[in-house]
Amino acid sequence: MPDRPADDSVERMEFMLTLRRRGISDQAVLRAMDEVPREHFVEPNFLDTAYADNALPIACGQTISQPYVVAYMSEQLGVRPSHRVLEIGTGSGYQAAVLSRLAREVVSIERYRTLADTARSRLTTLGTKNVEILLGDGLEGAPLRAPFDRIIVTAAAERIPDELVTQLGPDGVMILPLGPHSGTQELVRLTRTGEGLKREALIAVRFVPLLPGRAREL
Ligand code: SAH
Protein backbone atom coordinates (compact mmCIF):
# COMPACT_ATOMS: atom_id res chain seq x y z
CA MET A 1 0.00 0.00 0.00
CA PRO A 2 1.49 3.31 -1.06
CA ASP A 3 1.35 5.50 2.04
CA ARG A 4 2.37 2.99 4.68
CA PRO A 5 5.58 3.71 6.54
CA ALA A 6 8.28 1.26 5.43
CA ASP A 7 9.24 0.27 8.98
CA ASP A 8 5.95 -1.44 9.80
CA SER A 9 5.74 -3.41 6.55
CA VAL A 10 7.52 -6.48 7.99
CA GLU A 11 5.12 -6.60 10.94
CA ARG A 12 2.19 -6.33 8.62
CA MET A 13 3.51 -9.04 6.35
CA GLU A 14 3.88 -11.34 9.35
CA PHE A 15 0.39 -10.38 10.49
CA MET A 16 -1.07 -11.51 7.16
CA LEU A 17 1.10 -14.62 7.08
CA THR A 18 -0.11 -15.64 10.54
CA LEU A 19 -3.75 -15.34 9.44
CA ARG A 20 -3.10 -17.51 6.37
CA ARG A 21 -1.08 -20.02 8.35
CA ARG A 22 -3.88 -20.34 10.88
CA GLY A 23 -6.27 -21.18 8.06
CA ILE A 24 -7.98 -17.97 6.96
CA SER A 25 -8.45 -18.39 3.21
CA ASP A 26 -11.38 -16.17 2.16
CA GLN A 27 -9.79 -13.60 -0.15
CA ALA A 28 -12.24 -10.82 0.70
CA VAL A 29 -11.60 -11.33 4.44
CA LEU A 30 -7.83 -11.38 3.92
CA ARG A 31 -8.05 -8.20 1.85
CA ALA A 32 -10.14 -6.49 4.54
CA MET A 33 -7.66 -7.54 7.24
CA ASP A 34 -4.84 -6.19 5.09
CA GLU A 35 -6.60 -2.90 4.44
CA VAL A 36 -7.76 -1.95 7.92
CA PRO A 37 -4.94 -0.31 9.91
CA ARG A 38 -5.17 -2.00 13.32
CA GLU A 39 -2.82 0.57 14.86
CA HIS A 40 -5.61 3.09 14.40
CA PHE A 41 -7.81 1.10 16.83
CA VAL A 42 -5.41 0.27 19.67
CA GLU A 43 -4.52 2.50 22.62
CA PRO A 44 -1.38 4.63 22.08
CA ASN A 45 0.63 2.64 24.66
CA PHE A 46 0.01 -0.58 22.71
CA LEU A 47 1.05 0.74 19.29
CA ASP A 48 4.14 -1.49 19.32
CA THR A 49 2.02 -4.62 19.51
CA ALA A 50 -0.82 -3.51 17.22
CA TYR A 51 0.00 -6.30 14.73
CA ALA A 52 0.70 -9.07 17.24
CA ASP A 53 -1.94 -11.81 17.23
CA ASN A 54 -3.29 -10.92 20.68
CA ALA A 55 -6.29 -9.21 22.19
CA LEU A 56 -5.32 -5.85 23.77
CA PRO A 57 -6.88 -3.70 26.50
CA ILE A 58 -8.92 -0.67 25.42
CA ALA A 59 -10.82 1.98 27.43
CA CYS A 60 -13.61 1.09 29.88
CA GLY A 61 -11.92 -2.19 30.87
CA GLN A 62 -12.76 -3.80 27.51
CA THR A 63 -10.60 -5.43 24.81
CA ILE A 64 -9.97 -5.24 21.09
CA SER A 65 -10.23 -8.85 19.88
CA GLN A 66 -7.32 -10.90 18.64
CA PRO A 67 -6.84 -10.42 14.86
CA TYR A 68 -7.17 -14.15 14.15
CA VAL A 69 -10.54 -14.25 15.93
CA VAL A 70 -11.73 -11.15 14.03
CA ALA A 71 -10.75 -12.76 10.72
CA TYR A 72 -12.16 -16.16 11.71
CA MET A 73 -15.52 -14.77 12.80
CA SER A 74 -15.72 -12.61 9.66
CA GLU A 75 -14.99 -15.67 7.51
CA GLN A 76 -17.43 -17.98 9.31
CA LEU A 77 -20.15 -15.34 9.12
CA GLY A 78 -20.11 -15.65 5.31
CA VAL A 79 -20.67 -11.95 4.64
CA ARG A 80 -21.58 -10.96 1.10
CA PRO A 81 -21.45 -7.45 -0.44
CA SER A 82 -25.26 -7.15 -0.40
CA HIS A 83 -25.55 -7.92 3.33
CA ARG A 84 -26.68 -5.77 6.21
CA VAL A 85 -24.78 -6.79 9.33
CA LEU A 86 -25.49 -6.13 13.00
CA GLU A 87 -22.59 -6.18 15.46
CA ILE A 88 -23.08 -6.26 19.22
CA GLY A 89 -20.09 -4.82 21.09
CA THR A 90 -18.40 -2.08 19.02
CA GLY A 91 -15.45 -1.81 21.42
CA SER A 92 -12.58 -0.25 19.47
CA GLY A 93 -14.50 -0.32 16.17
CA TYR A 94 -11.93 -2.66 14.57
CA GLN A 95 -14.27 -5.57 13.82
CA ALA A 96 -16.83 -3.10 12.45
CA ALA A 97 -14.15 -1.61 10.16
CA VAL A 98 -13.29 -5.08 8.84
CA LEU A 99 -16.98 -5.89 8.28
CA SER A 100 -17.54 -2.56 6.52
CA ARG A 101 -15.27 -3.83 3.75
CA LEU A 102 -17.28 -7.01 3.32
CA ALA A 103 -20.88 -5.86 3.72
CA ARG A 104 -23.21 -3.23 2.30
CA GLU A 105 -23.97 -1.80 5.70
CA VAL A 106 -22.95 -2.40 9.31
CA VAL A 107 -24.91 -1.36 12.41
CA SER A 108 -22.84 -1.73 15.58
CA ILE A 109 -24.11 -1.28 19.14
CA GLU A 110 -21.96 -0.40 22.17
CA ARG A 111 -23.06 0.13 25.80
CA TYR A 112 -20.23 2.58 26.70
CA ARG A 113 -20.54 6.11 25.36
CA THR A 114 -16.76 6.65 25.39
CA LEU A 115 -16.16 3.59 23.22
CA ALA A 116 -19.04 4.37 20.84
CA ASP A 117 -17.86 7.97 20.35
CA THR A 118 -14.20 7.02 19.86
CA ALA A 119 -15.02 4.23 17.42
CA ARG A 120 -17.32 6.55 15.44
CA SER A 121 -14.63 9.20 15.06
CA ARG A 122 -11.99 6.60 14.11
CA LEU A 123 -14.20 5.27 11.34
CA THR A 124 -14.92 8.78 10.12
CA THR A 125 -11.17 9.50 9.98
CA LEU A 126 -10.70 6.36 7.87
CA GLY A 127 -13.45 7.53 5.51
CA THR A 128 -15.74 4.60 6.35
CA LYS A 129 -19.29 5.57 5.43
CA ASN A 130 -21.33 2.40 5.77
CA VAL A 131 -21.07 1.86 9.53
CA GLU A 132 -23.59 3.26 11.98
CA ILE A 133 -22.62 3.09 15.65
CA LEU A 134 -25.43 3.17 18.18
CA LEU A 135 -25.15 3.68 21.92
CA GLY A 136 -27.42 1.22 23.70
CA ASP A 137 -28.06 -2.27 24.95
CA GLY A 138 -27.09 -4.73 22.26
CA LEU A 139 -29.29 -7.39 23.86
CA GLU A 140 -32.22 -5.44 22.42
CA GLY A 141 -30.62 -5.36 18.98
CA ALA A 142 -31.75 -2.63 16.59
CA PRO A 143 -35.45 -3.45 15.97
CA LEU A 144 -36.03 -0.38 13.80
CA ARG A 145 -33.26 -1.46 11.45
CA ALA A 146 -34.01 -5.21 11.46
CA PRO A 147 -33.99 -7.70 9.81
CA PHE A 148 -30.28 -8.36 9.38
CA ASP A 149 -28.61 -10.85 7.05
CA ARG A 150 -25.83 -11.42 9.55
CA ILE A 151 -25.40 -10.80 13.29
CA ILE A 152 -22.08 -10.98 15.11
CA VAL A 153 -21.85 -10.79 18.89
CA THR A 154 -18.37 -9.89 20.13
CA ALA A 155 -18.98 -10.32 23.87
CA ALA A 156 -19.65 -13.55 25.77
CA ALA A 157 -23.31 -14.50 26.15
CA GLU A 158 -24.39 -17.01 28.81
CA ARG A 159 -27.45 -17.87 26.74
CA ILE A 160 -28.69 -17.12 23.22
CA PRO A 161 -30.26 -13.63 23.21
CA ASP A 162 -33.79 -14.30 21.91
CA GLU A 163 -34.38 -10.75 20.72
CA LEU A 164 -31.36 -10.97 18.40
CA VAL A 165 -32.63 -14.22 16.91
CA THR A 166 -35.90 -12.50 16.01
CA GLN A 167 -33.93 -9.81 14.14
CA LEU A 168 -32.25 -12.36 11.89
CA GLY A 169 -33.68 -12.41 8.36
CA PRO A 170 -34.44 -15.50 6.25
CA ASP A 171 -31.27 -17.63 5.80
CA GLY A 172 -29.69 -15.30 8.35
CA VAL A 173 -26.55 -16.31 10.22
CA MET A 174 -25.53 -15.27 13.72
CA ILE A 175 -22.18 -15.96 15.38
CA LEU A 176 -21.73 -15.55 19.12
CA PRO A 177 -19.41 -16.68 21.93
CA LEU A 178 -21.62 -18.78 24.17
CA GLY A 179 -20.63 -19.80 27.67
CA PRO A 180 -19.69 -18.63 31.15
CA HIS A 181 -18.44 -15.08 31.62
CA SER A 182 -15.29 -16.33 33.30
CA GLY A 183 -13.12 -18.72 31.35
CA THR A 184 -13.61 -19.85 27.78
CA GLN A 185 -16.70 -19.87 25.64
CA GLU A 186 -17.64 -21.79 22.55
CA LEU A 187 -18.09 -19.84 19.36
CA VAL A 188 -21.49 -20.88 18.03
CA ARG A 189 -23.02 -20.33 14.61
CA LEU A 190 -26.80 -20.20 14.30
CA THR A 191 -28.40 -20.36 10.86
CA ARG A 192 -32.06 -19.64 10.24
CA THR A 193 -33.37 -22.37 7.94
CA GLY A 194 -36.81 -23.47 6.76
CA GLU A 195 -36.79 -26.08 9.53
CA GLY A 196 -35.75 -23.70 12.29
CA LEU A 197 -32.42 -22.68 13.79
CA LYS A 198 -29.41 -24.82 12.95
CA ARG A 199 -26.67 -24.71 15.59
CA GLU A 200 -22.98 -25.47 14.99
CA ALA A 201 -20.06 -25.30 17.39
CA LEU A 202 -16.93 -23.65 16.02
CA ILE A 203 -13.83 -22.92 18.16
CA ALA A 204 -13.09 -22.10 21.79
CA VAL A 205 -12.72 -18.38 22.46
CA ARG A 206 -12.40 -15.94 25.34
CA PHE A 207 -14.44 -12.73 25.26
CA VAL A 208 -15.38 -10.05 27.79
CA PRO A 209 -18.95 -10.45 29.10
CA LEU A 210 -22.09 -9.33 27.30
CA LEU A 211 -23.80 -7.27 30.01
CA PRO A 212 -27.39 -6.03 30.06
CA GLY A 213 -28.27 -2.35 29.80
CA ARG A 214 -26.32 0.74 28.87
CA ALA A 215 -23.19 1.27 30.99
CA ARG A 216 -23.82 3.66 33.88
CA GLU A 217 -20.27 4.97 33.63
CA LEU A 218 -19.29 6.81 30.45
N1 SAH B 1 -15.66 -5.90 18.49
C1 SAH B 1 -14.76 -5.19 19.37
C2 SAH B 1 -14.39 -5.98 20.60
C3 SAH B 1 -15.34 -5.71 21.63
S1 SAH B 1 -15.08 -6.20 23.29
C4 SAH B 1 -13.53 -4.72 18.65
O1 SAH B 1 -13.34 -5.03 17.49
O2 SAH B 1 -12.75 -3.99 19.26
C5 SAH B 1 -16.80 -6.34 23.69
C6 SAH B 1 -17.56 -5.06 23.73
O3 SAH B 1 -18.92 -5.40 23.95
C7 SAH B 1 -17.16 -4.12 24.86
O4 SAH B 1 -16.83 -2.88 24.35
C8 SAH B 1 -18.40 -4.06 25.74
O5 SAH B 1 -18.62 -2.80 26.34
C9 SAH B 1 -19.49 -4.37 24.73
N2 SAH B 1 -20.75 -4.87 25.30
C10 SAH B 1 -20.92 -5.78 26.30
N3 SAH B 1 -22.24 -5.97 26.52
C11 SAH B 1 -22.91 -5.18 25.64
C12 SAH B 1 -24.30 -4.92 25.36
N4 SAH B 1 -25.28 -5.50 26.05
N5 SAH B 1 -24.60 -4.03 24.39
C13 SAH B 1 -23.64 -3.41 23.68
N6 SAH B 1 -22.32 -3.60 23.89
C14 SAH B 1 -21.96 -4.48 24.85
Side-chain angles (χ1 to χ4, degrees), residues 62-63 87 89-92 95 110-112 115 137-138 154 211:
Q62 305 304 312
T63 53
E87 178 190 30
T90 313
S92 67
Q95 173 79 72
E110 172 56 53
R111 65 191 290 274
Y112 282 97
L115 293 175
D137 181 1
T154 64
L211 298 172

Side-chain angles (χ1 to χ4, degrees), residues 38 41 56 58-65 70 87-97 108-112 115 122 134-140 152-156 207-215:
R38 194 164 189 267
F41 294 88
L56 293 172
I58 58 173
C60 308
Q62 305 304 312
T63 53
I64 171 173
S65 309
V70 171
E87 178 190 30
I88 309 303
T90 313
S92 67
Y94 180 65
Q95 173 79 72
S108 183
I109 308 178
E110 172 56 53
R111 65 191 290 274
Y112 282 97
L115 293 175
R122 282 172 178 154
L134 306 175
L135 176 65
D137 181 1
L139 284 168
E140 292 170 8
I152 179 171
V153 181
T154 64
F207 274 88
V208 296
L210 182 68
L211 298 172
R214 254 177 65 178

